[in-house]
């Protein structure tokens, strides 16, 4: 089963950029299809592979901040090529 995951890491601290940059770089290096925009990062792939990598990388990202939020949305399908038709 393929999934699309949208992630937004929001550290609640002054020095927030290193945690976000390291999280995105780790996702890029994972071998998964990763797309980024200014507000979130999207990851696409097979459920077990994506969730296995995310479990590890989300823990590392949260351990790197004093306080923070990690928003996650999961869609059951690979939506990496979605384009609105309006």
């Amino acid at each position: 089963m393929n999934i699309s995951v949208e992630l937004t890491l929001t550290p609640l601290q002054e020095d927030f950029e290193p945690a976000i940059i390291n999280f995105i770089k780790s996702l890029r290096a994972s071998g998964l299809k990763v797309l980024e925009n200014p507000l979130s990062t999207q990851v696409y792939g097979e459920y077990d592979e994506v969730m296995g990598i995310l479990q590890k990388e989300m823990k590392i990202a949260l351990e790197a901040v004093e306080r923070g939020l990690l928003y996650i949305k999961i869609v059951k399908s690979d939506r990496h090529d979605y384009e609105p038709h309006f």
Side-chain angles (χ1 to χ4, degrees), residues 60-79:
I60 292 168
L62 289 172
E63 288 174 339
V65 297
E66 185 177 328
R67 290 176 309 281
L69 303 170
L70 181 59
Y71 299 93
I72 182 170
K73 297 177 189 176
I74 302 172
V75 177
K76 183 185 172 187
S77 68
D78 184 335
R79 307 285 291 170

mmCIF file with all atom_site columns, all heavy atoms in Angstrom, residues 60-79:
data_model
loop_
_atom_site.group_PDB
_atom_site.id
_atom_site.type_symbol
_atom_site.label_atom_id
_atom_site.label_alt_id
_atom_site.label_comp_id
_atom_site.label_asym_id
_atom_site.label_entity_id
_atom_site.label_seq_id
_atom_site.pdbx_PDB_ins_code
_atom_site.Cartn_x
_atom_site.Cartn_y
_atom_site.Cartn_z
_atom_site.occupancy
_atom_site.B_iso_or_equiv
_atom_site.pdbx_formal_charge
_atom_site.auth_seq_id
_atom_site.auth_comp_id
_atom_site.auth_asym_id
_atom_site.auth_atom_id
_atom_site.pdbx_PDB_model_num
ATOM 1   N N   . ILE A 1 60 ? 14.465 11.239 16.244 1.00 0.00 ? 60 ILE A N   1
ATOM 2   C CA  . ILE A 1 60 ? 15.711 12.024 16.234 1.00 0.00 ? 60 ILE A CA  1
ATOM 3   C C   . ILE A 1 60 ? 15.391 13.516 16.194 1.00 0.00 ? 60 ILE A C   1
ATOM 4   O O   . ILE A 1 60 ? 15.985 14.312 16.929 1.00 0.00 ? 60 ILE A O   1
ATOM 5   C CB  . ILE A 1 60 ? 16.605 11.613 15.047 1.00 0.00 ? 60 ILE A CB  1
ATOM 6   C CG1 . ILE A 1 60 ? 17.127 10.187 15.247 1.00 0.00 ? 60 ILE A CG1 1
ATOM 7   C CG2 . ILE A 1 60 ? 17.748 12.601 14.840 1.00 0.00 ? 60 ILE A CG2 1
ATOM 8   C CD1 . ILE A 1 60 ? 17.784 9.591  14.016 1.00 0.00 ? 60 ILE A CD1 1
ATOM 9   N N   . ALA A 1 61 ? 14.437 13.912 15.350 1.00 0.00 ? 61 ALA A N   1
ATOM 10  C CA  . ALA A 1 61 ? 14.079 15.329 15.216 1.00 0.00 ? 61 ALA A CA  1
ATOM 11  C C   . ALA A 1 61 ? 13.510 15.878 16.518 1.00 0.00 ? 61 ALA A C   1
ATOM 12  O O   . ALA A 1 61 ? 13.851 16.988 16.933 1.00 0.00 ? 61 ALA A O   1
ATOM 13  C CB  . ALA A 1 61 ? 13.081 15.514 14.081 1.00 0.00 ? 61 ALA A CB  1
ATOM 14  N N   . LEU A 1 62 ? 12.654 15.123 17.169 1.00 0.00 ? 62 LEU A N   1
ATOM 15  C CA  . LEU A 1 62 ? 12.066 15.607 18.418 1.00 0.00 ? 62 LEU A CA  1
ATOM 16  C C   . LEU A 1 62 ? 13.082 15.635 19.555 1.00 0.00 ? 62 LEU A C   1
ATOM 17  O O   . LEU A 1 62 ? 13.023 16.501 20.423 1.00 0.00 ? 62 LEU A O   1
ATOM 18  C CB  . LEU A 1 62 ? 10.849 14.764 18.788 1.00 0.00 ? 62 LEU A CB  1
ATOM 19  C CG  . LEU A 1 62 ? 9.631  14.976 17.877 1.00 0.00 ? 62 LEU A CG  1
ATOM 20  C CD1 . LEU A 1 62 ? 8.546  13.961 18.199 1.00 0.00 ? 62 LEU A CD1 1
ATOM 21  C CD2 . LEU A 1 62 ? 9.099  16.392 18.005 1.00 0.00 ? 62 LEU A CD2 1
ATOM 22  N N   . GLU A 1 63 ? 14.020 14.708 19.550 1.00 0.00 ? 63 GLU A N   1
ATOM 23  C CA  . GLU A 1 63 ? 15.069 14.718 20.564 1.00 0.00 ? 63 GLU A CA  1
ATOM 24  C C   . GLU A 1 63 ? 16.015 15.911 20.387 1.00 0.00 ? 63 GLU A C   1
ATOM 25  O O   . GLU A 1 63 ? 16.658 16.341 21.341 1.00 0.00 ? 63 GLU A O   1
ATOM 26  C CB  . GLU A 1 63 ? 15.869 13.411 20.538 1.00 0.00 ? 63 GLU A CB  1
ATOM 27  C CG  . GLU A 1 63 ? 15.080 12.236 21.094 1.00 0.00 ? 63 GLU A CG  1
ATOM 28  C CD  . GLU A 1 63 ? 15.799 10.907 20.951 1.00 0.00 ? 63 GLU A CD  1
ATOM 29  O OE1 . GLU A 1 63 ? 16.715 10.785 20.104 1.00 0.00 ? 63 GLU A OE1 1
ATOM 30  O OE2 . GLU A 1 63 ? 15.424 9.977  21.683 1.00 0.00 ? 63 GLU A OE2 1
ATOM 31  N N   . ALA A 1 64 ? 16.062 16.480 19.182 1.00 0.00 ? 64 ALA A N   1
ATOM 32  C CA  . ALA A 1 64 ? 16.971 17.587 18.888 1.00 0.00 ? 64 ALA A CA  1
ATOM 33  C C   . ALA A 1 64 ? 16.438 18.946 19.336 1.00 0.00 ? 64 ALA A C   1
ATOM 34  O O   . ALA A 1 64 ? 17.159 19.930 19.283 1.00 0.00 ? 64 ALA A O   1
ATOM 35  C CB  . ALA A 1 64 ? 17.274 17.628 17.387 1.00 0.00 ? 64 ALA A CB  1
ATOM 36  N N   . VAL A 1 65 ? 15.181 18.992 19.755 1.00 0.00 ? 65 VAL A N   1
ATOM 37  C CA  . VAL A 1 65 ? 14.600 20.262 20.197 1.00 0.00 ? 65 VAL A CA  1
ATOM 38  C C   . VAL A 1 65 ? 14.188 20.165 21.659 1.00 0.00 ? 65 VAL A C   1
ATOM 39  O O   . VAL A 1 65 ? 13.894 19.090 22.170 1.00 0.00 ? 65 VAL A O   1
ATOM 40  C CB  . VAL A 1 65 ? 13.380 20.668 19.324 1.00 0.00 ? 65 VAL A CB  1
ATOM 41  C CG1 . VAL A 1 65 ? 13.804 20.889 17.887 1.00 0.00 ? 65 VAL A CG1 1
ATOM 42  C CG2 . VAL A 1 65 ? 12.258 19.670 19.408 1.00 0.00 ? 65 VAL A CG2 1
ATOM 43  N N   . GLU A 1 66 ? 14.191 21.327 22.307 1.00 0.00 ? 66 GLU A N   1
ATOM 44  C CA  . GLU A 1 66 ? 13.763 21.359 23.711 1.00 0.00 ? 66 GLU A CA  1
ATOM 45  C C   . GLU A 1 66 ? 12.251 21.166 23.812 1.00 0.00 ? 66 GLU A C   1
ATOM 46  O O   . GLU A 1 66 ? 11.745 20.409 24.627 1.00 0.00 ? 66 GLU A O   1
ATOM 47  C CB  . GLU A 1 66 ? 14.169 22.684 24.341 1.00 0.00 ? 66 GLU A CB  1
ATOM 48  C CG  . GLU A 1 66 ? 13.883 22.755 25.822 1.00 0.00 ? 66 GLU A CG  1
ATOM 49  C CD  . GLU A 1 66 ? 14.381 24.056 26.415 1.00 0.00 ? 66 GLU A CD  1
ATOM 50  O OE1 . GLU A 1 66 ? 15.390 24.599 25.949 1.00 0.00 ? 66 GLU A OE1 1
ATOM 51  O OE2 . GLU A 1 66 ? 13.733 24.520 27.368 1.00 0.00 ? 66 GLU A OE2 1
ATOM 52  N N   . ARG A 1 67 ? 11.536 21.894 22.951 1.00 0.00 ? 67 ARG A N   1
ATOM 53  C CA  . ARG A 1 67 ? 10.083 21.773 22.861 1.00 0.00 ? 67 ARG A CA  1
ATOM 54  C C   . ARG A 1 67 ? 9.722  21.904 21.388 1.00 0.00 ? 67 ARG A C   1
ATOM 55  O O   . ARG A 1 67 ? 10.322 22.684 20.659 1.00 0.00 ? 67 ARG A O   1
ATOM 56  C CB  . ARG A 1 67 ? 9.387  22.894 23.640 1.00 0.00 ? 67 ARG A CB  1
ATOM 57  C CG  . ARG A 1 67 ? 9.518  22.798 25.141 1.00 0.00 ? 67 ARG A CG  1
ATOM 58  C CD  . ARG A 1 67 ? 8.880  23.988 25.844 1.00 0.00 ? 67 ARG A CD  1
ATOM 59  N NE  . ARG A 1 67 ? 9.298  25.296 25.340 1.00 0.00 ? 67 ARG A NE  1
ATOM 60  C CZ  . ARG A 1 67 ? 10.449 25.896 25.653 1.00 0.00 ? 67 ARG A CZ  1
ATOM 61  N NH1 . ARG A 1 67 ? 11.299 25.316 26.441 1.00 0.00 ? 67 ARG A NH1 1
ATOM 62  N NH2 . ARG A 1 67 ? 10.741 27.086 25.151 1.00 0.00 ? 67 ARG A NH2 1
ATOM 63  N N   . GLY A 1 68 ? 8.717  21.165 20.957 1.00 0.00 ? 68 GLY A N   1
ATOM 64  C CA  . GLY A 1 68 ? 8.336  21.290 19.562 1.00 0.00 ? 68 GLY A CA  1
ATOM 65  C C   . GLY A 1 68 ? 7.089  20.514 19.229 1.00 0.00 ? 68 GLY A C   1
ATOM 66  O O   . GLY A 1 68 ? 6.636  19.670 19.998 1.00 0.00 ? 68 GLY A O   1
ATOM 67  N N   . LEU A 1 69 ? 6.549  20.820 18.075 1.00 0.00 ? 69 LEU A N   1
ATOM 68  C CA  . LEU A 1 69 ? 5.384  20.142 17.530 1.00 0.00 ? 69 LEU A CA  1
ATOM 69  C C   . LEU A 1 69 ? 5.780  19.465 16.231 1.00 0.00 ? 69 LEU A C   1
ATOM 70  O O   . LEU A 1 69 ? 6.562  20.018 15.452 1.00 0.00 ? 69 LEU A O   1
ATOM 71  C CB  . LEU A 1 69 ? 4.266  21.142 17.227 1.00 0.00 ? 69 LEU A CB  1
ATOM 72  C CG  . LEU A 1 69 ? 3.770  22.011 18.373 1.00 0.00 ? 69 LEU A CG  1
ATOM 73  C CD1 . LEU A 1 69 ? 2.846  23.086 17.834 1.00 0.00 ? 69 LEU A CD1 1
ATOM 74  C CD2 . LEU A 1 69 ? 3.065  21.176 19.404 1.00 0.00 ? 69 LEU A CD2 1
ATOM 75  N N   . LEU A 1 70 ? 5.201  18.316 15.979 1.00 0.00 ? 70 LEU A N   1
ATOM 76  C CA  . LEU A 1 70 ? 5.404  17.637 14.703 1.00 0.00 ? 70 LEU A CA  1
ATOM 77  C C   . LEU A 1 70 ? 4.028  17.240 14.191 1.00 0.00 ? 70 LEU A C   1
ATOM 78  O O   . LEU A 1 70 ? 3.363  16.393 14.769 1.00 0.00 ? 70 LEU A O   1
ATOM 79  C CB  . LEU A 1 70 ? 6.295  16.411 14.869 1.00 0.00 ? 70 LEU A CB  1
ATOM 80  C CG  . LEU A 1 70 ? 6.597  15.629 13.601 1.00 0.00 ? 70 LEU A CG  1
ATOM 81  C CD1 . LEU A 1 70 ? 7.290  16.506 12.556 1.00 0.00 ? 70 LEU A CD1 1
ATOM 82  C CD2 . LEU A 1 70 ? 7.477  14.442 13.909 1.00 0.00 ? 70 LEU A CD2 1
ATOM 83  N N   . TYR A 1 71 ? 3.604  17.930 13.149 1.00 0.00 ? 71 TYR A N   1
ATOM 84  C CA  . TYR A 1 71 ? 2.316  17.650 12.534 1.00 0.00 ? 71 TYR A CA  1
ATOM 85  C C   . TYR A 1 71 ? 2.525  16.612 11.438 1.00 0.00 ? 71 TYR A C   1
ATOM 86  O O   . TYR A 1 71 ? 3.470  16.714 10.660 1.00 0.00 ? 71 TYR A O   1
ATOM 87  C CB  . TYR A 1 71 ? 1.728  18.912 11.889 1.00 0.00 ? 71 TYR A CB  1
ATOM 88  C CG  . TYR A 1 71 ? 1.473  20.027 12.857 1.00 0.00 ? 71 TYR A CG  1
ATOM 89  C CD1 . TYR A 1 71 ? 2.440  21.006 13.071 1.00 0.00 ? 71 TYR A CD1 1
ATOM 90  C CD2 . TYR A 1 71 ? 0.273  20.107 13.549 1.00 0.00 ? 71 TYR A CD2 1
ATOM 91  C CE1 . TYR A 1 71 ? 2.210  22.045 13.955 1.00 0.00 ? 71 TYR A CE1 1
ATOM 92  C CE2 . TYR A 1 71 ? 0.042  21.146 14.436 1.00 0.00 ? 71 TYR A CE2 1
ATOM 93  C CZ  . TYR A 1 71 ? 1.016  22.107 14.638 1.00 0.00 ? 71 TYR A CZ  1
ATOM 94  O OH  . TYR A 1 71 ? 0.795  23.136 15.511 1.00 0.00 ? 71 TYR A OH  1
ATOM 95  N N   . ILE A 1 72 ? 1.603  15.660 11.348 1.00 0.00 ? 72 ILE A N   1
ATOM 96  C CA  . ILE A 1 72 ? 1.720  14.628 10.315 1.00 0.00 ? 72 ILE A CA  1
ATOM 97  C C   . ILE A 1 72 ? 0.337  14.318 9.762  1.00 0.00 ? 72 ILE A C   1
ATOM 98  O O   . ILE A 1 72 ? -0.633 14.186 10.508 1.00 0.00 ? 72 ILE A O   1
ATOM 99  C CB  . ILE A 1 72 ? 2.410  13.357 10.869 1.00 0.00 ? 72 ILE A CB  1
ATOM 100 C CG1 . ILE A 1 72 ? 2.570  12.302 9.784  1.00 0.00 ? 72 ILE A CG1 1
ATOM 101 C CG2 . ILE A 1 72 ? 1.684  12.810 12.073 1.00 0.00 ? 72 ILE A CG2 1
ATOM 102 C CD1 . ILE A 1 72 ? 3.441  11.133 10.202 1.00 0.00 ? 72 ILE A CD1 1
ATOM 103 N N   . LYS A 1 73 ? 0.266  14.258 8.441  1.00 0.00 ? 73 LYS A N   1
ATOM 104 C CA  . LYS A 1 73 ? -0.960 13.859 7.741  1.00 0.00 ? 73 LYS A CA  1
ATOM 105 C C   . LYS A 1 73 ? -0.585 12.695 6.839  1.00 0.00 ? 73 LYS A C   1
ATOM 106 O O   . LYS A 1 73 ? 0.456  12.726 6.177  1.00 0.00 ? 73 LYS A O   1
ATOM 107 C CB  . LYS A 1 73 ? -1.513 14.987 6.881  1.00 0.00 ? 73 LYS A CB  1
ATOM 108 C CG  . LYS A 1 73 ? -1.939 16.201 7.650  1.00 0.00 ? 73 LYS A CG  1
ATOM 109 C CD  . LYS A 1 73 ? -2.388 17.269 6.666  1.00 0.00 ? 73 LYS A CD  1
ATOM 110 C CE  . LYS A 1 73 ? -2.611 18.584 7.352  1.00 0.00 ? 73 LYS A CE  1
ATOM 111 N NZ  . LYS A 1 73 ? -2.955 19.640 6.379  1.00 0.00 ? 73 LYS A NZ  1
ATOM 112 N N   . ILE A 1 74 ? -1.449 11.689 6.795  1.00 0.00 ? 74 ILE A N   1
ATOM 113 C CA  . ILE A 1 74 ? -1.187 10.515 5.958  1.00 0.00 ? 74 ILE A CA  1
ATOM 114 C C   . ILE A 1 74 ? -2.378 10.304 5.033  1.00 0.00 ? 74 ILE A C   1
ATOM 115 O O   . ILE A 1 74 ? -3.525 10.273 5.484  1.00 0.00 ? 74 ILE A O   1
ATOM 116 C CB  . ILE A 1 74 ? -0.957 9.258  6.820  1.00 0.00 ? 74 ILE A CB  1
ATOM 117 C CG1 . ILE A 1 74 ? 0.214  9.475  7.780  1.00 0.00 ? 74 ILE A CG1 1
ATOM 118 C CG2 . ILE A 1 74 ? -0.733 8.034  5.930  1.00 0.00 ? 74 ILE A CG2 1
ATOM 119 C CD1 . ILE A 1 74 ? 0.395  8.364  8.793  1.00 0.00 ? 74 ILE A CD1 1
ATOM 120 N N   . VAL A 1 75 ? -2.088 10.149 3.756  1.00 0.00 ? 75 VAL A N   1
ATOM 121 C CA  . VAL A 1 75 ? -3.106 9.856  2.748  1.00 0.00 ? 75 VAL A CA  1
ATOM 122 C C   . VAL A 1 75 ? -2.800 8.483  2.167  1.00 0.00 ? 75 VAL A C   1
ATOM 123 O O   . VAL A 1 75 ? -1.649 8.181  1.843  1.00 0.00 ? 75 VAL A O   1
ATOM 124 C CB  . VAL A 1 75 ? -3.101 10.902 1.614  1.00 0.00 ? 75 VAL A CB  1
ATOM 125 C CG1 . VAL A 1 75 ? -4.103 10.543 0.530  1.00 0.00 ? 75 VAL A CG1 1
ATOM 126 C CG2 . VAL A 1 75 ? -3.364 12.286 2.164  1.00 0.00 ? 75 VAL A CG2 1
ATOM 127 N N   . LYS A 1 76 ? -3.814 7.652  2.025  1.00 0.00 ? 76 LYS A N   1
ATOM 128 C CA  . LYS A 1 76 ? -3.624 6.322  1.457  1.00 0.00 ? 76 LYS A CA  1
ATOM 129 C C   . LYS A 1 76 ? -3.621 6.416  -0.061 1.00 0.00 ? 76 LYS A C   1
ATOM 130 O O   . LYS A 1 76 ? -4.637 6.244  -0.719 1.00 0.00 ? 76 LYS A O   1
ATOM 131 C CB  . LYS A 1 76 ? -4.717 5.370  1.935  1.00 0.00 ? 76 LYS A CB  1
ATOM 132 C CG  . LYS A 1 76 ? -4.513 3.966  1.430  1.00 0.00 ? 76 LYS A CG  1
ATOM 133 C CD  . LYS A 1 76 ? -5.656 3.059  1.811  1.00 0.00 ? 76 LYS A CD  1
ATOM 134 C CE  . LYS A 1 76 ? -5.508 1.723  1.127  1.00 0.00 ? 76 LYS A CE  1
ATOM 135 N NZ  . LYS A 1 76 ? -6.675 0.884  1.354  1.00 0.00 ? 76 LYS A NZ  1
ATOM 136 N N   . SER A 1 77 ? -2.478 6.731  -0.619 1.00 0.00 ? 77 SER A N   1
ATOM 137 C CA  . SER A 1 77 ? -2.192 6.736  -2.058 1.00 0.00 ? 77 SER A CA  1
ATOM 138 C C   . SER A 1 77 ? -0.949 7.580  -2.265 1.00 0.00 ? 77 SER A C   1
ATOM 139 O O   . SER A 1 77 ? -0.606 8.418  -1.438 1.00 0.00 ? 77 SER A O   1
ATOM 140 C CB  . SER A 1 77 ? -3.347 7.278  -2.912 1.00 0.00 ? 77 SER A CB  1
ATOM 141 O OG  . SER A 1 77 ? -3.536 8.649  -2.703 1.00 0.00 ? 77 SER A OG  1
ATOM 142 N N   . ASP A 1 78 ? -0.292 7.354  -3.372 1.00 0.00 ? 78 ASP A N   1
ATOM 143 C CA  . ASP A 1 78 ? 0.889  8.151  -3.715 1.00 0.00 ? 78 ASP A CA  1
ATOM 144 C C   . ASP A 1 78 ? 0.409  9.349  -4.523 1.00 0.00 ? 78 ASP A C   1
ATOM 145 O O   . ASP A 1 78 ? -0.025 9.202  -5.654 1.00 0.00 ? 78 ASP A O   1
ATOM 146 C CB  . ASP A 1 78 ? 1.876  7.305  -4.526 1.00 0.00 ? 78 ASP A CB  1
ATOM 147 C CG  . ASP A 1 78 ? 3.168  8.046  -4.829 1.00 0.00 ? 78 ASP A CG  1
ATOM 148 O OD1 . ASP A 1 78 ? 3.162  9.292  -4.857 1.00 0.00 ? 78 ASP A OD1 1
ATOM 149 O OD2 . ASP A 1 78 ? 4.187  7.376  -5.029 1.00 0.00 ? 78 ASP A OD2 1
ATOM 150 N N   . ARG A 1 79 ? 0.471  10.532 -3.921 1.00 0.00 ? 79 ARG A N   1
ATOM 151 C CA  . ARG A 1 79 ? -0.054 11.740 -4.543 1.00 0.00 ? 79 ARG A CA  1
ATOM 152 C C   . ARG A 1 79 ? 1.051  12.674 -5.023 1.00 0.00 ? 79 ARG A C   1
ATOM 153 O O   . ARG A 1 79 ? 0.816  13.857 -5.246 1.00 0.00 ? 79 ARG A O   1
ATOM 154 C CB  . ARG A 1 79 ? -0.942 12.487 -3.534 1.00 0.00 ? 79 ARG A CB  1
ATOM 155 C CG  . ARG A 1 79 ? -2.034 11.652 -2.893 1.00 0.00 ? 79 ARG A CG  1
ATOM 156 C CD  . ARG A 1 79 ? -3.171 11.387 -3.783 1.00 0.00 ? 79 ARG A CD  1
ATOM 157 N NE  . ARG A 1 79 ? -3.856 12.656 -3.995 1.00 0.00 ? 79 ARG A NE  1
ATOM 158 C CZ  . ARG A 1 79 ? -4.812 12.837 -4.881 1.00 0.00 ? 79 ARG A CZ  1
ATOM 159 N NH1 . ARG A 1 79 ? -5.199 11.853 -5.643 1.00 0.00 ? 79 ARG A NH1 1
ATOM 160 N NH2 . ARG A 1 79 ? -5.383 13.999 -5.020 1.00 0.00 ? 79 ARG A NH2 1
#
